[in-house]
Amino acid sequence: MNAAGFPLLSLITFLPLAGAAIIMSVRGDEAVVARNARWTALWTSLIVFLLSLILWARFDQSSAAFQFVEKVSWLPEFGVGYHMGVDGISVLFVLLSTALTPICILASWEAIETRVREYMVAFLILETMMVGMFAALDFIVFYVFFEAVLIPMFLIIGVWGGARRVYAAFKFFLYTLLGSVLMLLAILYLWYNAGTTDIPQLFEYQVPRAAQTWIFFAFLASFAVKVPMWPVHTWLPDAHVEAPTAGSVILAGVLLKMGAYGFLRFTLPLLPEASAAFAPLIFVLSVVAVVYTSLVALAQEDMKKLIAYSSVAHMGIVTIGIFTFNQQGLAGALFTMLAHGVVSGALFLCVGVLYDRVHSREIQRYGGVAAIMPSYGLVFLFFTMASVGLPGLANFVGEFLVIVGAWRVNPWVAFGAALGMILGAAYMLYLYRRVSFGKVTREDLRALLDLRPREYAVFAPLILLTLWMGVYPQSFLSFFEASVANLVARHEAALGAARLAGIQ
């Protein structure tokens, strides 16, 4: 059903490409081109965000069905079509993508000085790929968007990144691409046996138990790298450290959610028996990720690398929630994904503010910053508290729900997730104390200017969203409830049918 009455999802998905085309057509000297590129990208991304609010306003939260559906025949002889739609699992991630893009463009306003036109084009193309990936309801269309995301992100890291940007960009690209080759083989198997790549139709297809195991590991090879899960997480710290600030924001805010979204959208509904059989493996990998990367974060001297390792730990909590197969765990995983997208993005912006002024990310380079930049110190403290899971802020709700859901499955898994929250408080407070408190020992820090109006405009929506999620979480959880309940019911029914078939 299309509540908008017009192809809203296609408009949201492809409008950024129109903005990119306009930017590429701009002529003039370098300063004029850069100015026009910035404003065109900003206005395009803001219009896309406003259009995406229609999804939020007209979405029927009581329904688990796909909504705003668009379907056009593409390759009917192969069972492939252009099929778009959103449900309670995907709709808020479309909004997260469209909300973070204008924030990233605004954050890059002064930080990016070379090849500004190409940078803005890359970000708009990236927005199209992110939205398309969350809205795709055909496996081939999904795979195209899923892999195409890598191209603009590869360029953003490789062209506008730090000193080791080429190494980090190729490591990011190769890790994420190679895992997806196995997923393509699994998609081809499903198409050959089911005769379609339409995702809602595939949900009705019962994958043979013998095939579920290898398809599960084919999906795991792709999604685990994207999350990323331990031990295939090593590309992430390098990518974050070398990426420009806005690149780190969109990488942590949206791209890390692609793998977890893949588990929710495909692994659980298509492979219920294999998911249940290998859930203990996922729990072990996730708990190791939560504890190990938290300890590694404590040892970091680079602010970006510390936050990068914290992202691996937080996403470990997400994968624990997904494989609990219960309402609390799944809702908590989805909420944590959203909260992490907002809070971790804001933390990378906090690092970017200091880097733009001092051109260093080394923790020991700072000290006493809160006394020199009191507004910045308050904003940094706010998002530090949100990251550690302070009640009343975004992260607490999702992580608490995951722990409740994990406790129902295995108390030791819940203990591992809770230990991650404790260690998270340790490394984030340690970071904040070393950067913001103490004496100012370097004279150049005394000349630092506090937040500028543009930086207030960047942080303000993230602060409001973090408070909103923490104080009134039901306004977000209500989007998940019907779809999560349907997913849990279908999973339990599939397992029940499998057990019954085994008895007979």
Side-chain angles (χ1 to χ4, degrees):
M1 91 185 137
N2 194 334
F6 61 96
L8 177 61
L9 277 176
S10 292
L11 189 59
I12 294 171
T13 302
F14 296 108
L15 186 59
L17 293 184
I22 293 171
I23 292 172
M24 290 303 296
S25 67
V26 172
R27 295 292 181 265
D29 60 51
E30 187 175 349
V32 171
V33 169
R35 183 175 67 252
N36 289 333
R38 291 186 180 104
W39 282 108
T40 302
L42 180 60
W43 279 111
T44 301
S45 61
L46 286 173
I47 292 170
V48 171
F49 173 65
L50 292 174
L51 286 171
S52 69
L53 291 179
I54 300 175
L55 293 176
W56 174 76
R58 298 191 181 183
F59 187 83
D60 181 4
Q61 299 178 21
S62 64
S63 174
F66 290 104
Q67 302 176 40
F68 301 94
V69 173
E70 304 168 23
K71 193 170 185 179
V72 178
S73 180
W74 183 20
L75 298 170
E77 63 274 22
F78 296 107
V80 179
Y82 174 79
H83 193 184
M84 304 283 275
V86 290
D87 64 352
I89 291 174
S90 58
V91 62
L92 291 183
F93 293 105
V94 172
L95 268 77
L96 180 66
S97 303
T98 61
L100 286 181
T101 301
I103 290 174
C104 288
I105 290 170
L106 196 58
S108 307
W109 208 260
E110 296 175 2
I112 302 300
E113 299 176 343
T114 59
R115 298 182 178 178
V116 176
R117 172 167 59 185
E118 291 80 1
Y119 179 87
M120 296 302 170
V121 166
F123 249 98
L124 291 177
I125 294 174
L126 181 61
E127 182 177 23
T128 285
M129 302 309 165
M130 293 187 299
V131 173
M133 191 270 302
F134 287 120
L137 291 183
D138 183 277
F139 234 139
I140 297 300
V141 176
F142 168 83
Y143 187 81
V144 169
F145 284 122
F146 190 75
E147 294 307 307
V149 163
L150 303 180
I151 300 170
M153 196 67 219
F154 171 80
L155 294 174
I156 288 169
I157 298 173
V159 176
W160 294 276
R164 299 173 69 244
R165 59 186 180 273
V166 175
Y167 165 78
F170 273 101
K171 190 174 183 181
F172 158 76
F173 190 86
L174 293 175
Y175 259 75
T176 51
L177 179 64
L178 290 176
S180 298
V181 173
L182 293 176
M183 184 176 74
L184 180 59
L185 294 176
I187 293 172
L188 292 175
Y189 171 89
L190 292 170
W191 166 77
Y192 183 79
N193 287 274
T196 183
T197 56
D198 189 77
I199 292 169
Q201 291 183 39
L202 284 172
F203 286 166
E204 304 303 322
Y205 171 69
Q206 292 185 352
V207 181
R209 178 63 184 90
Q212 283 194 30
T213 297
W214 76 263
I215 295 176
F216 177 88
F217 282 101
F219 283 171
L220 180 65
S222 178
F223 299 148
V225 173
K226 292 284 200 302
V227 170
M229 296 175 66
W230 181 89
V232 289
H233 66 285
T234 56
W235 63 269
L236 183 64
D238 290 319
H240 270 310
V241 167
E242 299 305 326
T245 298
S248 292
V249 172
I250 213 72
L251 180 60
V254 181
L255 268 61
L256 296 193
K257 312 305 176 287
M258 292 164 54
Y261 175 77
F263 284 131
L264 288 162
R265 175 61 75 224
F266 305 113
T267 304
L268 266 61
L270 289 174
L271 314 169
E273 296 172 74
S275 298
F278 295 107
L281 171 65
I282 301 297
F283 287 149
V284 169
L285 295 177
S286 299
V287 170
V288 170
V290 169
V291 177
Y292 169 73
T293 56
S294 295
L295 293 173
V296 172
L298 273 169
Q300 297 307 308
E301 291 297 328
D302 184 297
M303 288 187 285
K304 260 194 170 185
K305 191 168 283 191
L306 186 152
I307 299 170
Y309 278 111
S310 79
S311 292
V312 180
H314 281 104
M315 293 307 295
I317 292 176
V318 168
T319 49
I320 288 173
I322 291 172
F323 282 86
T324 59
F325 310 123
N326 57 49
Q327 187 89 15
Q328 293 91 344
L330 286 164
L334 284 162
F335 197 94
T336 302
M337 289 163 67
L338 283 175
H340 176 263
V342 174
V343 174
S344 68
L347 286 171
F348 280 114
L349 288 169
C350 288
V351 175
V353 167
L354 291 180
Y355 185 80
D356 289 344
R357 290 159 169 77
V358 184
H359 300 292
S360 175
R361 294 183 299 268
E362 295 297 317
I363 298 173
Q364 64 180 6
R365 180 70 173 76
Y366 297 95
V369 169
I372 306 163
M373 305 169 64
S375 296
Y376 169 80
L378 186 61
V379 169
F380 192 14
L381 178 63
F382 176 85
F383 288 114
T384 299
M385 293 295 103
S387 179
V388 305
L390 185 72
L393 299 179
N395 277 23
F396 172 77
V397 178
E399 292 176 352
F400 180 78
L401 285 172
V402 168
I403 291 173
V404 171
W407 182 270
R408 295 180 58 189
V409 176
N410 188 319
W412 286 108
V413 175
F415 175 77
L419 182 60
M421 294 181 67
I422 296 170
L423 292 172
Y427 59 70
M428 287 307 302
L429 293 175
Y430 183 55
L431 168 66
Y432 187 81
R433 182 186 69 81
R434 295 177 68 188
V435 171
S436 298
F437 295 151
K439 294 182 180 179
V440 180
T441 58
R442 298 178 183 271
E443 290 302 316
D444 60 333
L445 296 181
R446 299 184 187 279
L448 292 181
L449 298 175
D450 210 344
L451 295 178
R452 306 183 182 100
R454 177 182 56 82
E455 292 165 336
Y456 279 114
V458 167
F459 284 116
L462 298 176
I463 291 171
L464 292 174
L465 194 53
T466 302
L467 281 171
W468 184 6
M469 295 182 73
V471 174
Y472 190 27
Q474 186 57 31
S475 59
F476 296 86
L477 290 170
S478 60
F479 280 87
F480 308 145
E481 285 177 354
S483 293
V484 167
N486 180 60
L487 181 58
V488 172
R490 290 173 63 91
H491 183 80
E492 292 177 348
L495 293 182
R499 283 193 291 268
L500 184 60
I503 293 172
Q504 294 175 346

